[in-house]
Amino acid sequence: MKIDKSDIRNILKNVFTKSIIPDEISNLKIGDVDEWDSLGNFNFLLEVENFYGIRFEIDEISEIKSVEDVISFLENS
């Protein structure tokens, strides 16, 4: 699956409504955005699941901590 980063950016904007999401998101990771803590990461991954119609396994949720991780997972699943 080829991932459009603008879709991921829109998900970030929808989840982290109080934060400014930069145009370039490739290197964003947990902690780079004020709201992106462990709970924020969980909410972000839930939105990714809903948008792409997929489900992360528990061990994947604990490993995915960046935009790069999300894109890599989606492109390889």
Side-chain angles (χ1 to χ4, degrees), residues 30-45:
I30 195 168
D32 287 347
V33 173
D34 287 342
E35 299 170 84
W36 197 352
D37 54 13
S38 56
L39 179 58
N41 195 57
F42 184 74
N43 290 330
F44 171 52
L45 295 179

Side-chain angles (χ1 to χ4, degrees), residues 3-39:
I3 304 305
D4 186 339
K5 286 184 188 171
S6 66
D7 291 334
I8 301 292
R9 185 171 184 272
N10 286 333
I11 293 169
L12 288 164
K13 287 170 58 176
N14 290 338
V15 173
F16 306 127
T17 57
K18 296 176 185 166
S19 300
I20 295 171
I21 306 301
D23 291 335
E24 179 50 53
I25 61 166
S26 296
N27 295 319
L28 277 184
K29 62 187 178 308
I30 195 168
D32 287 347
V33 173
D34 287 342
E35 299 170 84
W36 197 352
D37 54 13
S38 56
L39 179 58

